[in-house]
Amino acid sequence: MSDIKENVVTFAKQFLPYYRFIRPPESTIDSSHVLPTQLNSDSIKVLNWNIAKNNFEKFWFKDFLKLQRECQPDLIFLQEVRMGLGVEQIVGFHNMSWAYAPNFIDAHHQTYSGILTAAKISAIAKKVIVTKHHEPLFKTPKVSLFTEYSLSHHRETLLTINSHLINFVDLDKFKAQLQELELAISTHTGPIIFAGDFNTWSRKRALLLEKTVMRLGLKEAHFAPDESKKIKRFLLSPPLDYIFYRGLKEKRSSAKVFDEIFSSDHKPLLAEFTYDHI
């Protein structure tokens, strides 16, 4: 295994010069529309998906339009989204407001890479947390995007966190990202949705994540056993993708993993929630 790792590092140094991947100057790139100002508390449909940088491909766009048409999600959390430099709109979100948090610019392809949160309403607040540590080969950080939304007939707001956790680093660096996220999330008193690709490909990583969400009072969206087994794993590892929540009620029968989608090696996850607090 060590020989393989050394060969990969040698290849990267030869063919992927350090200056190819640049930290972008923007924390977020945003697109807002004239939309309703509040989410419907009776039904909040959440779609979470690592799209593996395939959103420039026609086969991915076909899958994405199908998901939008069939599921009609209120909130969409995507990881590994590409966006062209100077482009003001990402195709597929013309009827939604979105915030895009890039973690690097690929100077060779003239594209951003990052995470995107889209909603049927406009966010009232946004925040980006960038990891202090970088992944080893490309020397790039990971980002998490916090967005806050109004709920219909309620004073409390919904905080959402779209996160892609750091990979190819030791456990302490993975833990450091979780600790920073936990600190930021813990200040919110209202309902929360925390979703993304958590890169929990080892039991130790999964346990750290489990302890973090437990301290925050978050629950894991429930997928029936036949659905859960479809979620992306690395060999026999725990799942990599999750939707966590707090202060909401889950419509369990609606949780679904779309295993007929092949435009990414991750499968889209769908969950539906309601909110009836006064």
Side-chain angles (χ1 to χ4, degrees), residues 45-181:
K45 292 183 179 179
V46 174
L47 181 71
N48 179 55
W49 190 16
N50 182 327
I51 65 174
K53 299 185 179 72
N54 284 328
N55 55 300
F56 284 3
E57 308 296 338
K58 290 182 179 179
F59 62 89
W60 177 86
F61 188 59
K62 182 178 178 180
D63 282 342
F64 185 56
L65 286 183
K66 179 183 177 182
L67 286 169
Q68 284 186 309
R69 186 170 58 249
E70 292 182 0
C71 306
Q72 298 185 7
D74 301 284
L75 293 165
I76 300 175
F77 304 100
L78 301 181
Q79 302 85 44
E80 294 198 28
V81 179
R82 291 197 297 166
M83 182 175 179
L85 298 184
V87 175
E88 296 181 355
Q89 182 61 264
I90 296 179
V91 178
F93 297 96
H94 298 296
N95 62 341
M96 302 183 84
S97 288
W98 52 263
Y100 179 72
N103 61 317
F104 66 83
I105 293 172
D106 184 334
H108 177 71
H109 289 111
Q110 291 292 290
T111 57
Y112 295 98
S113 178
I115 58 177
L116 182 145
T117 299
K120 288 183 177 179
I121 67 170
S122 296
I124 58 176
K126 293 183 287 291
K127 176 182 177 180
V128 175
I129 293 182
V130 182
T131 58
K132 298 174 182 177
H133 302 106
H134 293 182
E135 293 181 338
L137 293 183
F138 301 154
K139 306 299 182 184
T140 55
K142 281 288 194 284
V143 295
S144 296
L145 175 60
F146 288 60
T147 46
E148 197 171 340
Y149 302 96
S150 296
L151 291 164
S152 60
H153 311 298
H154 300 286
R155 292 183 178 180
E156 290 184 311
T157 59
L158 171 68
L159 176 67
T160 74
I161 307 96
N162 180 0
S163 196
H164 196 177
L165 265 65
I166 196 164
N167 212 354
F168 312 116
V169 296
D170 60 48
L171 200 61
D172 286 340
K173 292 177 181 178
F174 178 81
K175 184 178 181 180
Q177 184 183 8
L178 277 177
Q179 288 175 331
E180 190 168 17
L181 292 174

Side-chain angles (χ1 to χ4, degrees), residues 246-264:
R246 187 186 78 187
L248 302 166
K249 291 184 179 179
E250 181 185 358
K251 293 186 176 181
R252 291 196 171 196
S253 59
S254 66
K256 183 177 180 182
V257 181
F258 294 87
D259 66 335
E260 72 277 12
I261 298 293
F262 295 100
S263 53
S264 170

Side-chain angles (χ1 to χ4, degrees), residues 157-248:
T157 59
L158 171 68
L159 176 67
T160 74
I161 307 96
N162 180 0
S163 196
H164 196 177
L165 265 65
I166 196 164
N167 212 354
F168 312 116
V169 296
D170 60 48
L171 200 61
D172 286 340
K173 292 177 181 178
F174 178 81
K175 184 178 181 180
Q177 184 183 8
L178 277 177
Q179 288 175 331
E180 190 168 17
L181 292 174
E182 181 180 355
L183 180 62
I185 295 170
S186 66
T187 62
H188 186 73
T189 58
I192 293 171
I193 296 174
F194 183 21
D197 175 357
F198 292 84
N199 273 318
T200 42
W201 40 259
S202 74
R203 297 292 174 185
K204 290 182 178 180
R205 281 176 165 241
L207 183 59
L208 283 176
L209 176 62
E210 180 183 341
K211 290 180 178 179
T212 298
V213 298
M214 285 182 64
R215 285 192 296 268
L216 289 167
L218 299 170
K219 299 178 182 178
E220 181 183 341
H222 175 79
F223 293 89
D226 59 331
E227 292 292 313
S228 180
K229 67 183 181 182
K230 303 171 186 175
I231 301 174
K232 171 74 174 181
R233 288 170 166 80
F234 181 72
L235 299 177
L236 299 176
S237 79
L240 305 185
D241 306 314
Y242 294 90
I243 300 173
F244 298 106
Y245 67 97
R246 187 186 78 187
L248 302 166

Side-chain angles (χ1 to χ4, degrees), residues 13-71:
K13 289 179 177 179
Q14 290 177 341
F15 298 102
L16 297 173
Y18 72 91
Y19 51 81
R20 172 175 167 177
F21 301 100
I22 306 166
R23 179 75 191 122
E26 309 95 333
S27 60
T28 62
I29 300 168
D30 308 296
S31 176
S32 295
H33 299 276
V34 179
L35 297 170
T37 56
Q38 297 176 325
L39 284 171
N40 180 2
S41 304
D42 295 329
S43 175
I44 303 171
K45 292 183 179 179
V46 174
L47 181 71
N48 179 55
W49 190 16
N50 182 327
I51 65 174
K53 299 185 179 72
N54 284 328
N55 55 300
F56 284 3
E57 308 296 338
K58 290 182 179 179
F59 62 89
W60 177 86
F61 188 59
K62 182 178 178 180
D63 282 342
F64 185 56
L65 286 183
K66 179 183 177 182
L67 286 169
Q68 284 186 309
R69 186 170 58 249
E70 292 182 0
C71 306

